[in-house]
Amino acid sequence: MQNDTYFSSLAWYRHMREHAPVTYSEQHQQWMVFRYDDVKRVLSDYETFSSEVESEGHTLTPMDVSLVALDPPCHRHLRALVTQAFTPRTVTQATARIEQLVKDLLEKHMGRGEMDIIDDLAYPLTVTIIAEILGVPVSDQERFRHWSDLLAGVTPFDGSDFTGEMSVYFSRLLDERRREPREDLISSLLAAQVGGEHLSTLELLGFCILLLVAGNVTTTHLLGNAFLCFDEFPRLLEVLARDGTLLPGAIEEVLRYRSPLRFMFRVAKKDTHLGGQSIHAGQWISAYIASANHDEAVFSHPERFDITRTPNPNLSFGHGVHYCLGAPLARLETRIVLEVMLRRFSSIQRRPGSMLEPLDPQGFMQGAKHFPIVFTESRAVHPRSLHAGMNRRSFKSGEEREMQSPKA
């Protein structure tokens, strides 16, 4: 994956924000939305832009009743039940386990001095943590990856009934936990209730499938995209190694600059107007999060990578009632990975000569399929304070440097 592919996307987004911020695609039979305020409205105004599919003549699947596919009041009821089990305490308690697992995964590759960020670290970390939280066998992680990549559109559909396979798999686990509850999220979900009501079996299946997918795919590519940024801005690793307090801001800037999600779908529930266009009930809308995160009207110098950007209201985890429930876990896992690696290694870089293959450019995820690195183990702990004059860190993208050069 070459930077010109990514930068050409940024150039296209910029053109669309300026000339066709809300436009209808005859090819895809849907509206495409590019400006921040419009994208934010599409993501949050559920009374106009719905996450629900039409159920008439359609047999509901677990994903049709998952959090991402429901609007209030059903969404509010389901989220209230789920948050009883998937609490901030659940996430916080995973901190020590995440750090130990990161260390164990890195240790496997210390002798070689190289590894793949996606295949050897990000994916096994995220799928193991979410499997342990849910209470599913980590030994099935290759099956989880296959299902997750298909459901998230990371790999092309292979014709298999993978949603049916997932339903059968989790139905068996639910039956086991009903008979013998354990200290895991599936057992907690079975016990959770609001006003005497429990989650239905279909709702339980939907949440388990959603969490398995969202709990590993998004974070996997958030980590991969962080290293894409490090590859573009090599000085960034040195800055973060000197001052770990900059890490949260750096992660937010990765989310903005290279959002794992390119866009999200909604369907119009009623006739409405957006960006000067008339949208009719029943029409589909793609809200381009990756474009909104680069909107000049909201982000000063949007093509500049600034780890001290404040505020940074990126939309990478959504907005409003559908804001991602797993966002705290994704941020925690990413922060711990970077903290451990920056302590452990004195140098990290993409393996020389390696070519990066992008995810499907038509899919809703963006990033690299693989990211091979080489590293040198550190012999001393990096200082944790920033040198004088290094308190402000912003970096120009390759495209911005090109635009601002004398020859541009």
Side-chain angles (χ1 to χ4, degrees), residues 291-311:
S291 173
N293 284 346
H294 286 261
D295 192 335
E296 302 83 353
V298 177
F299 301 98
S300 176
H301 303 292
E303 310 307 335
R304 183 171 295 171
F305 189 88
D306 183 358
I307 63 176
T308 61
R309 185 182 296 275
T310 303

Side-chain angles (χ1 to χ4, degrees), residues 182 232 397:
R182 300 182 186 176
E232 186 179 349
S397 70

Side-chain angles (χ1 to χ4, degrees), residues 23-32 265-267 280 282-286:
T23 189
Y24 190 77
S25 169
E26 292 290 349
Q27 178 184 358
H28 299 101
Q29 295 290 292
Q30 63 186 245
W31 289 93
M32 299 186 296
F265 287 117
R266 293 290 190 270
V267 62
H280 300 298
Q283 290 186 314
W284 285 86
I285 302 101
S286 289

Side-chain angles (χ1 to χ4, degrees), residues 324-359:
C324 178
L325 192 65
L329 181 59
R331 288 185 170 103
L332 177 65
E333 289 176 323
T334 303
R335 177 177 60 79
I336 291 175
V337 166
L338 297 180
E339 284 177 344
V340 173
M341 292 185 73
L342 289 171
R343 287 198 305 264
R344 194 74 183 266
F345 304 141
S346 59
S347 69
I348 307 170
Q349 62 177 317
R350 177 154 61 102
R351 188 173 65 206
S354 60
M355 300 293 289
L356 302 182
E357 182 182 0
L359 301 178

